[in-house]
Structure formats: structure tokens, C-alpha cells
Amino acid sequence: MFMLMDFATALLLTIPLLFLHFKCNYLEHCKRQLFSSIGLLNFLSTYFMISFGDIFWIVLIWQLVFIWPICIAYYLYLYKQDQHSYYYWGLRKKHILWIGTLTIISIFMVFIGMYETNKKIIVFHQQVMQDFEDSTDRQLYLIEHTITPATLLGLSDQIEKVSGGQVRALTLPWRSKVIVTIDNREQKEFTYVRLYDGWKLDGIYRESYTMDVDRSTEND
């Protein structure tokens, strides 16, 4: 499932270069092979970097802040040079249909992968909490099995409540948040990052508390 989800994510991020690849087919002065090579390199680098969840955000920012704006600007430049009534968004209908089909399939694959990964990350989280609870040296366990153990130092005193809390997950291809609700009043968000074909607990970066309504009314 990781392979399909990573493939689809990398393809979605390469869509702007795919537009340029097809547009260059219509223009003799456009360097089609150059954009084909850049597109392939972009796809492969993105595909392999997704599994390094703790640094993939750098690749994502590079794509959205640098690659995408340049591709869009250059595509608009080419679009003004080559306009025809039978074009759709500057491309022939068959190429638009081809890109649109790839995009829809990729989005579908990403959502299916995220749905399946949600179930797996919940099981993995529960196993991590159980191993932490059973550990004879919990501080050493955090140092060896987490990325930012300093954010988890208070977990030891609440591990029984956390293990018995309601769990749900929100997953991206490179990062996942496991939200644990304790007694319907307290929430802890555990962040996990991709590490090759598995996950590693990063830390707790957000905690929230909800006052009991009945109790607050009595105090008034």
C-alpha cells in the first residue's frame, strides 16, 4: 500500500511538469527532452523522499514554492505563443483527458492508501503504548524509540489512561497524527513520521482540555 500511495503522491506533485512536457510537443523551439528529464527526476526524487517523513516537508515546500510557480509561469508563456480554438487549457483534448485521468486515479489511490494506513497506524500506536507501559526503563525506551523524547516525558504518569483512551488517526503519506481522547475531556496528539516502510513516534506536540460542563455550572 505504501508503494501505491507514494507513487500517486509523487505523480500528483509532478503534474505541472507533465503539462509542460505535452505543451513542448507542439513547439519546435521548446526543449521537450529537457522537461521530460526534469519531470522524471522530479518524480523519482519525490517518490523516494516520501519515506523519510521527518525531512519530506523540505521537498514539499521546494515543490510548492519553487517548482510549481516556475512551471505555471513558463506554461503561461508558452500558452500565449501557441493558441488554437481546438485547445483546452492550451493542450489538445486527448492530452487533457490523459492528464485528468491520471490525476483522478492518483487522488483515488492516495485516499485509499490513507484510509488503509489509518487502521495500521492505530494498531502500531497501541503496540507502542503497550511496549512503553511494559518497559522496565521507560526513559530509555523513549530515547531509543522516539525522535523527540522530551515531548513525552509526562507520558509515564498517564500511560494507563492513554492506553484506554479513544483513538483515531489522521494520516498523510509522510506523517500521521494519532489523537487520543481521555474521558471525553482531554486530548493528546501523537505525531508519527514515515521511516522507510514503517513509522516512528516523533512526539506529542499538542494537548487540549475541555472543562466538564456540569462541574463548571456547580462552581458558578
Side-chain angles (χ1 to χ4, degrees):
M1 186 57 66
F2 274 139
M3 183 179 295
L4 291 177
M5 185 169 60
D6 294 351
F7 182 91
T9 303
L11 186 58
L12 286 174
L13 291 174
T14 310
I15 290 296
L17 284 164
L18 198 58
F19 269 90
L20 280 178
H21 168 76
F22 285 124
K23 189 63 178 177
C24 283
N25 286 335
Y26 312 156
L27 302 171
E28 294 182 357
H29 67 277
C30 188
K31 299 179 180 180
R32 183 182 60 181
Q33 293 183 348
L34 174 63
F35 286 106
S36 299
S37 301
I38 294 176
L40 181 60
L41 179 62
N42 184 79
F43 171 81
L44 292 175
S45 61
T46 303
Y47 176 79
F48 287 112
M49 289 300 294
I50 292 176
S51 60
F52 298 94
D54 55 337
I55 60 174
F56 179 72
W57 64 272
I58 300 175
V59 178
L60 187 62
I61 291 176
W62 171 263
Q63 295 282 340
L64 299 180
V65 175
F66 184 74
I67 299 294
W68 278 44
I70 290 179
C71 288
I72 293 172
Y74 192 64
Y75 184 82
L76 292 176
Y77 169 75
L78 296 177
Y79 176 81
K80 293 179 180 180
Q81 292 187 349
D82 183 43
Q83 299 185 40
H84 295 284
S85 59
Y86 54 86
Y87 281 1
Y88 296 85
W89 296 346
L91 297 178
R92 292 186 175 93
K93 185 177 180 180
K94 64 178 181 179
H95 291 149
I96 288 294
L97 291 175
W98 200 81
I99 294 176
T101 301
L102 279 180
T103 302
I104 293 173
I105 292 175
S106 297
I107 292 174
F108 179 76
M109 289 169 60
V110 169
F111 275 103
I112 291 295
M114 289 167 59
Y115 174 77
E116 293 295 327
T117 305
N118 272 344
K119 295 186 288 186
K120 294 180 180 179
I121 194 65
I122 288 175
V123 174
F124 179 72
H125 168 77
Q126 292 172 335
Q127 183 61 52
V128 170
M129 292 299 101
Q130 186 62 52
D131 292 343
F132 177 71
E133 186 174 1
D134 296 339
S135 176
T136 56
D137 190 338
R138 293 178 176 177
Q139 186 173 0
L140 180 61
Y141 179 89
L142 292 178
I143 294 174
E144 293 180 346
H145 295 89
T146 66
I147 297 175
T148 316
T151 64
L152 297 155
L153 295 178
L155 181 61
S156 183
D157 298 333
Q158 296 181 296
I159 186 60
E160 293 183 2
K161 291 183 178 180
V162 171
S163 298
Q166 299 177 347
V167 183
R168 59 189 176 94
L170 299 173
T171 302
L172 294 172
W174 61 92
R175 181 178 290 265
S176 181
K177 286 187 177 181
V178 175
I179 303 171
V180 180
T181 302
I182 305 170
D183 298 331
N184 294 322
R185 290 185 298 177
E186 180 181 355
Q187 284 190 346
K188 294 183 180 294
E189 291 188 7
F190 293 81
T191 299
Y192 289 82
V193 296
R194 276 279 300 278
L195 189 62
Y196 303 108
D197 292 331
W199 297 92
K200 187 170 184 178
L201 177 58
D202 186 358
I204 298 177
Y205 293 104
R206 184 176 179 182
E207 298 180 75
S208 59
Y209 303 87
T210 303
M211 292 183 60
D212 184 65
V213 177
D214 296 333
R215 185 176 300 175
S216 61
T217 303
E218 291 177 1
N219 292 337
D220 293 340

